[in-house]
Amino acid sequence: MNRIKVFHVISHFDVGGAEKVAFNIACSHNAAIEYHMVAVLKATSQYAKDFKQEVGNSGIRIHQSLISNNKLGIILFPFWFLVTYIIHKPNVIHTHTEIPDLSVFLFCKLFGWLIRKRTKIVRTIHNNVLWNKWGKIGLVVERFYKRQRRNIAISLSTQKSYTEKYQQLCPIIYNGINIPKEKKFKSIHKGKINIAFAGRLEYQKGIPVLAEVIYRLKDDERFYFHVIGSGSMEQDLLEQLNECRNFTHYKRIYGLADYLHNFDYLFMPSLFEGLALMPIEAGFSKTPTIINSCVGLEETMPEDWPLKVQDNRVDDYIAIFNSLPQLDYNELQDKVFAFVSQKFSIEEMQKQYEKIYLNGIRY
């Protein structure tokens, strides 16, 4: 049987929800499909090396640029990818987030005559806000992807945002998540309630609120915070919490999902999300998440979830933290596990995308 070839184009083999989604789709064991992952940019971190090894061990073919600079990598992508395209002749190119979206757009503009009848373009919309830094370019690129009529939103919030901005209603395929393994995290503080924050240290993730909550609880012996991530607000965060002894900062932890069961709670004070993967992974690990009631986070928890606040109000977070010792922890665990198990099946996600790959579905 001739297998079709599906190329997932990602920014780089490094930390990122979109990269994980692409990998989870490509982990399907569908005998009718041969999966490849293509990185527009080169990544050299230890995380990237571990991620590439995991991708390769899963039987997925890997193609990676030799360029790490964003702009140069995008500009040169069409030319080095052309060789890969000619050799492998993909039937589907599936792109994830703006750097791959723009790179694939340029490739199609330059070599559209080569791929027009041979290759379908599929595109997953991962974020509520697109083209923050490249607004005018984004308008041109979006016209191209709208014509393909294979834009897929990952949540109600991304669907709504895209419809309002670009006047096209996309179908939704929820991100599916593998049930994490259980590995021991050696830095847990016994006798305390261990709270994890994991994400980019950027304003969107609610870093000022995170810092204030940790600072307000610095003398409360019940709690210990584990802050995992890096970004432009990293130094600000560390300076603000310089005198605090109730937290540890880790730049990154590879395979973090496998360690989430060690923590008592996950804390996500994001301002908005496309669809946050971390609380879903935490739910599968039976680790409840304390959230801001915002788009892209609300969909990851039951509607009547008690651990959420409106408008990221710090006083409300403090009230929740103070209430934690009195809550029925097992009930919270069972509630969130049942919810994510029903809504975020990885097999269902793979099945829905593969229906598009194999049957050429458009909308």
Side-chain angles (χ1 to χ4, degrees):
M1 179 177 68
N2 290 327
R3 297 199 293 172
I4 73 164
K5 296 179 181 180
V6 175
F7 276 39
H8 283 276
V9 185
I10 60 174
S11 294
H12 44 47
F13 289 101
D14 215 326
V15 179
E19 285 79 4
K20 180 167 285 189
V21 171
F23 176 53
N24 285 342
I25 298 170
C27 281
S28 168
H29 298 295
N30 192 324
I33 301 175
E34 174 184 310
Y35 281 105
H36 297 236
M37 287 184 70
V38 181
V40 175
L41 307 171
K42 182 179 181 180
T44 57
S45 68
Q46 185 58 49
Y47 182 101
K49 293 173 184 176
D50 292 341
F51 185 26
K52 281 179 64 179
Q53 183 175 359
E54 185 177 4
V55 172
N57 290 344
S58 300
I60 301 164
R61 301 283 296 274
I62 292 172
H63 313 277
Q64 179 181 241
S65 169
L66 298 175
I67 300 165
S68 55
N69 177 272
N70 284 8
K71 291 181 180 178
L72 190 58
I74 292 168
I75 291 168
L76 295 181
F77 173 83
F79 304 101
W80 73 260
F81 182 64
L82 176 62
V83 178
T84 304
Y85 182 91
I86 291 172
I87 292 172
H88 295 282
K89 300 179 178 64
N91 304 94
V92 177
I93 294 175
H94 187 160
T95 176
H96 301 263
T97 70
E98 286 96 324
I99 288 175
D101 292 345
L102 180 52
S103 301
V104 170
F105 166 77
L106 292 175
F107 175 76
C108 292
K109 282 298 177 182
L110 289 171
F111 304 109
W113 54 272
L114 179 65
I115 72 171
R116 192 165 289 118
K117 293 183 179 180
R118 176 183 294 163
T119 307
K120 305 167 192 170
I121 305 296
V122 178
R123 187 270 198 108
T124 295
I125 301 167
H126 291 269
N127 300 309
N128 292 84
V129 181
L130 301 176
W131 308 107
N132 253 338
K133 298 178 182 178
W134 302 330
K136 291 182 180 179
I137 294 174
L139 291 174
V140 176
V141 176
E142 289 306 328
R143 284 199 292 270
F144 167 78
Y145 283 108
K146 284 169 66 176
R147 286 197 301 271
Q148 306 303 312
R149 290 171 44 219
R150 293 192 189 94
N151 277 331
I152 309 295
I154 63 167
S155 65
L156 285 168
S157 63
T158 53
Q159 182 194 59
K160 181 174 182 286
S161 298
Y162 194 83
T163 303
E164 290 175 351
K165 182 70 182 285
Y166 300 108
Q167 294 76 54
Q168 186 181 71
L169 182 65
C170 311
I172 297 172
I173 298 179
Y174 282 107
N175 292 338
I177 302 295
N178 272 318
I179 296 178
K181 303 170 187 174
E182 293 193 357
K183 296 180 180 178
K184 185 176 181 180
F185 188 67
K186 297 180 181 179
S187 299
I188 290 295
H189 285 240
K190 293 182 179 179
K192 295 182 183 291
I193 297 174
N194 286 263
I195 314 289
F197 167 91
R200 299 190 313 277
L201 301 185
E202 305 290 346
Y203 188 78
Q204 169 198 336
K205 299 295 184 180
I207 301 307
V209 172
L210 171 70
E212 187 172 350
V213 168
I214 294 175
Y215 185 82
R216 291 264 296 267
L217 294 172
K218 63 181 172 55
D219 298 319
D220 194 323
E221 295 293 328
R222 294 174 298 174
F223 306 108
Y224 197 87
F225 291 84
H226 304 261
V227 178
I228 305 155
S230 59
S232 65
M233 298 194 72
E234 180 177 338
Q235 198 57 39
D236 293 339
L237 175 76
L238 296 178
E239 287 178 4
Q240 183 173 345
L241 301 179
N242 182 50
E243 298 178 3
C244 298
R245 298 294 176 262
N246 62 335
F247 86 105
T248 300
H249 173 237
Y250 318 80
K251 279 189 175 291
R252 62 187 67 193
I253 297 173
Y254 182 76
L256 176 61
D258 296 335
Y259 298 98
L260 288 174
H261 72 100
N262 293 274
F263 302 99
D264 298 296
Y265 294 91
L266 183 68
F267 180 30
M268 290 198 69
S270 300
L271 304 181
F272 61 88
E273 296 277 352
L275 181 71
L277 297 184
M278 194 62 62
I280 301 170
E281 292 171 330
F284 277 116
S285 298
K286 293 194 171 183
T287 297
T289 302
I290 301 163
I291 66 167
N292 180 35
S293 184
C294 71
V295 294
L297 266 180
E298 286 185 320
E299 289 174 74
T300 68
M301 294 291 120
E303 189 173 347
D304 59 346
W305 189 239
L307 305 181
K308 64 181 176 181
V309 307
Q310 299 292 329
D311 303 319
N312 243 3
R313 290 192 287 260
V314 173
D315 286 344
D316 291 350
Y317 282 127
I318 299 300
I320 285 178
F321 280 109
N322 284 326
S323 74
L324 293 182
Q326 287 76 50
L327 295 178
D328 187 331
Y329 189 69
N330 290 333
E331 182 180 330
L332 288 173
Q333 288 182 303
D334 293 342
K335 188 183 186 77
V336 71
F337 180 78
F339 178 81
V340 298
S341 297
Q342 187 272 329
K343 192 169 183 179
F344 300 104
S345 158
I346 194 167
E347 291 80 14
E348 182 63 23
M349 175 188 70
Q350 291 168 341
K351 183 172 71 175
Q352 289 189 55
Y353 274 115
E354 288 176 348
K355 192 182 296 183
I356 295 171
Y357 301 155
L358 293 167
N359 301 328
I361 294 173
R362 304 179 85 184
Y363 57 86

